[in-house]
Amino acid sequence: DKENEKMNTHSTSKILKKIAGFLISMKFTIIILSLIIITSLIASLIPQGNDINFYKEEFHPFISWCILSMGFYHFFTSFFFISALIIFSLHLFSCMLYRILREIKHKQKKRFGPDIIHFGILFFILGIIGEYLARIYDEVKTRPNFIVRETVGMSEERQSF
């Protein structure tokens, strides 16, 4: 029993190390950056912020469905784009942390250039996310507390209030 448990723990540990290794690898960097770049290029070709009916009228039904279902009509403020930026930020942070811990552990010559670049990119992305959150806050702040859809039993004069 103990031997089986030890083998299961070892195999689980091995799988977690492989996953962690992939998440801090250059392959993952290329995948996430390619995803952000390709989707941003597609979104930049599509007019942003128009009414949903605009996309239904101007584009083929399948293309308008793709635009609306994937959020390309407001892409740069969409959940997908912000999530991709957050994942990329976490990836940069984990790569930087891994490098720093490896340099401390192996007492290698310290090279801080890549770490400074990582910090710069992280702060830039955090600025974008902060700007996004500030705009959401401003938009929510200006909304009314409630909207009256219909009034019943009130005079016209009183309904104008």
Side-chain angles (χ1 to χ4, degrees):
D1 258 356
K2 288 187 178 187
E3 199 171 298
N4 267 346
E5 189 177 311
K6 190 175 181 180
M7 285 181 65
N8 286 340
T9 305
H10 181 68
S11 64
T12 304
S13 173
K14 202 172 185 180
I15 291 170
L16 289 176
K17 282 184 181 182
K18 282 186 177 185
I19 292 171
F22 175 72
L23 292 177
I24 61 170
S25 70
M26 189 61 95
K27 288 179 188 177
F28 186 70
T29 304
I30 292 170
I31 289 170
I32 193 76
L33 276 178
S34 298
L35 185 68
I36 291 170
I37 290 168
I38 290 169
T39 54
S40 295
L41 284 173
I42 292 169
S44 67
L45 298 174
I46 298 168
Q48 298 288 304
N50 291 318
D51 187 42
I52 292 175
N53 292 325
F54 168 80
Y55 301 101
K56 291 179 180 179
E57 293 169 3
E58 293 294 320
F59 295 97
H60 183 273
F62 177 72
I63 294 174
S64 69
W65 176 80
C66 289
I67 290 170
L68 296 173
S69 64
M70 294 181 184
F72 279 115
Y73 64 100
H74 62 88
F75 182 72
F76 299 102
T77 58
S78 70
F79 177 75
F80 174 78
F81 185 72
I82 300 302
S83 298
L85 285 180
I86 290 171
I87 289 169
F88 182 65
S89 300
L90 291 173
H91 170 68
L92 277 177
F93 181 74
S94 61
C95 288
M96 183 182 59
L97 188 64
Y98 175 75
R99 276 182 39 80
I100 290 172
L101 292 175
R102 188 182 67 200
E103 287 177 0
I104 291 171
K105 184 178 178 181
H106 296 295
K107 298 180 183 171
Q108 296 175 345
K109 181 181 174 188
K110 308 286 187 267
R111 291 183 12 212
F112 294 109
D115 299 329
I116 292 170
I117 291 171
H118 283 158
F119 268 124
I121 294 171
L122 279 172
F123 281 117
F124 179 74
I125 292 171
L126 284 174
I128 291 172
I129 293 170
E131 179 69 23
Y132 172 72
L133 292 175
R135 287 184 185 194
I136 289 174
Y137 176 73
D138 286 342
E139 183 181 322
V140 169
K141 197 168 60 170
T142 60
R143 289 184 187 164
N145 291 333
F146 58 90
I147 298 172
V148 176
R149 192 172 287 146
E150 180 181 0
T151 57
V152 179
M154 293 181 71
S155 66
E156 288 289 323
E157 185 178 302
R158 192 138 185 235
Q159 285 183 9
S160 65
F161 290 110

